[in-house]
Amino acid sequence: MAKGLLVTYALWAVGGPAGLHHLYLGRDSHALLWMLTLGGGGLGWLWEFWKLPSFVAQANRAQGQRQRSGGGTPPLSLIRFAAQMIVGIYFGLVALISLSFMTSFYIVGLPLAVGLGVLLVAAVGNQTSDFKNTLVAAFLTSPIFYGRPIAILPISLAASITAQKHRRYKASAGSETLSVRLYRLGLAYLAFTGPLAYSALCNTAATISYVAETLGSFLSWFSFFPLLGRLMESVLLLPYRVWSLLVGDPGFSSNYFQEWEKLYEFVRSFQDEKHQLAFQVLGLVEGATNEEIHQRYRELVKIWHPDHNRHQTEEAQRHFMEIQAAYEVLSQPRKPRGSWRWG
């Protein structure tokens, strides 16, 4: 049965952020992506208003004649590549919050989550990519940044580049019943939201700490790019701000969410704690000038360089890495204390 444009627009208006119009058009990967990201944070859903006619035409063409497998390579899309990067990072952040307690998380869980996020975007529409090669790129990149939340960025970049390199059109596939499609989407949705919901409901305090540490580590990477950093802060802390605006008087719901309000304080104090520790590592008092920091850094590097301590290589290596990390923290511009909440 041919798909109707008016029906598509109606479903877009009623349940667009949940992907109902994509489910109607048979774009299950796109529907799942919208279910997990609420329509790309709402922006993707609004942007689709102009794309719906082409989606309907594509769905009707697919009903009559499926895209041939191996029929050429799809054109390179910078928008799709950027979306792969963003969703890969998003999946990685959710995995850090809900699954970081797992053994070997940075070797298995994190690259798997980021790779699946990239592959989900790669499978939107009539395109797809190579599952094996994309995940291999993610798994090979992960050990390089083992134990560091910033690993999400290079893993997502490597997986996105690989997915774009191996992009192809989807092969012909037989039609499936709606119940089978909904069952598959339901399992995928539960696999994504289940661990996060369990952490939030059953281990709230630990989850808050994970969220704060993850956001703090992630946002610290943008210290050299103030405008981009401010934008990322606004996006990541938007749910908290919306909740603060909607909930005025204390009530039943706000009693539960009062624990989550502590997230703001955690994130705001994260940079302060890192700076205090960095000053301790360098043996300086807070408020030391940049010249004093640089001079002390050079002195300690000379003392603890592994080449100068061959009789205690492991200890020297540990101190040397701590000194490098402390100097990196103190070299970054500090943020105003009020900027976390209201930008």
Side-chain angles (χ1 to χ4, degrees), residues 40-56:
L43 297 179
W45 168 64
L46 293 175
W47 179 74
E48 281 184 337
F49 179 84
W50 313 104
K51 303 287 292 183
L52 291 184
S54 63
F55 289 163
V56 172

Side-chain angles (χ1 to χ4, degrees), residues 73-342:
T73 302
L76 180 65
S77 172
L78 294 179
I79 294 179
R80 185 181 291 260
F81 176 78
Q84 288 173 347
M85 280 285 299
I86 294 172
V87 175
I89 293 171
Y90 169 62
F91 271 49
L93 290 174
V94 172
L96 269 174
I97 294 169
S98 58
L99 299 175
S100 57
F101 62 88
M102 294 173 50
T103 304
S104 303
F105 167 76
Y106 284 95
I107 297 296
V108 179
L110 184 61
L112 180 61
V114 175
L116 290 177
V118 171
L119 285 168
L120 178 59
V121 178
V124 165
N126 63 347
Q127 297 185 27
T128 187
S129 188
D130 187 83
F131 184 87
K132 179 180 178 181
N133 284 311
T134 302
L135 288 185
V136 166
F139 277 96
L140 290 178
T141 307
S142 182
I144 301 175
F145 302 89
Y146 180 81
R148 302 176 62 186
I150 200 65
I152 296 174
L153 293 173
I155 294 173
S156 184
L157 177 61
S160 298
I161 292 175
T162 305
Q164 283 292 316
K165 181 179 179 181
H166 295 277
R167 66 189 185 279
R168 64 174 185 269
Y169 288 110
K170 290 179 179 177
S172 299
S175 58
E176 295 179 326
T177 62
L178 180 60
S179 60
V180 172
R181 293 167 56 204
L182 290 176
Y183 175 74
R184 185 184 296 114
L185 287 174
L187 287 180
Y189 185 80
L190 287 176
F192 181 88
T193 59
L196 185 61
Y198 175 83
S199 297
L201 296 175
C202 300
N203 199 7
T204 305
T207 304
I208 291 174
S209 298
Y210 285 138
V211 171
E213 183 177 356
T214 301
L215 290 181
S217 299
F218 181 72
L219 291 173
S220 66
W221 188 82
F222 293 94
S223 297
F224 292 108
F225 311 96
L227 292 179
L228 185 57
R230 298 277 292 241
L231 176 61
M232 292 304 301
E233 290 173 14
S234 299
V235 172
L236 292 175
L237 295 179
L238 181 60
Y240 170 80
R241 296 174 181 176
V242 171
W243 181 258
S244 299
L245 291 174
L246 293 179
V247 180
D249 299 325
F252 175 78
S253 298
S254 61
N255 287 335
Y256 172 76
F257 277 93
Q258 66 182 357
E259 291 294 328
W260 284 98
E261 291 180 359
K262 297 177 182 178
L263 172 61
Y264 162 68
E265 297 297 336
F266 271 101
V267 175
R268 189 180 68 173
S269 64
F270 186 83
Q271 295 293 345
D272 292 338
E273 293 177 0
K274 287 207 307 181
H275 278 77
Q276 292 173 5
L277 181 59
F279 279 118
Q280 294 177 11
V281 170
L282 296 184
L284 295 171
V285 296
E286 290 193 54
T289 64
N290 292 335
E291 291 77 10
E292 292 173 337
I293 293 172
H294 183 67
Q295 181 179 355
R296 183 58 175 168
Y297 165 73
R298 295 186 62 180
E299 293 174 355
L300 292 177
V301 164
K302 291 179 181 178
I303 295 174
W304 289 106
H305 198 286
D307 292 342
H308 302 158
N309 296 271
R310 297 188 181 277
H311 60 289
Q312 49 178 357
T313 305
E314 293 185 2
E315 182 180 359
Q317 183 69 27
R318 178 174 60 83
H319 282 290
F320 186 77
M321 293 179 65
E322 290 178 352
I323 294 166
Q324 294 278 9
Y327 182 71
E328 180 180 350
V329 169
L330 296 179
S331 299
Q332 298 175 0
R334 299 200 65 172
K335 303 181 64 58
R337 276 190 72 81
S339 65
W340 285 104
R341 177 176 286 186
W342 304 115

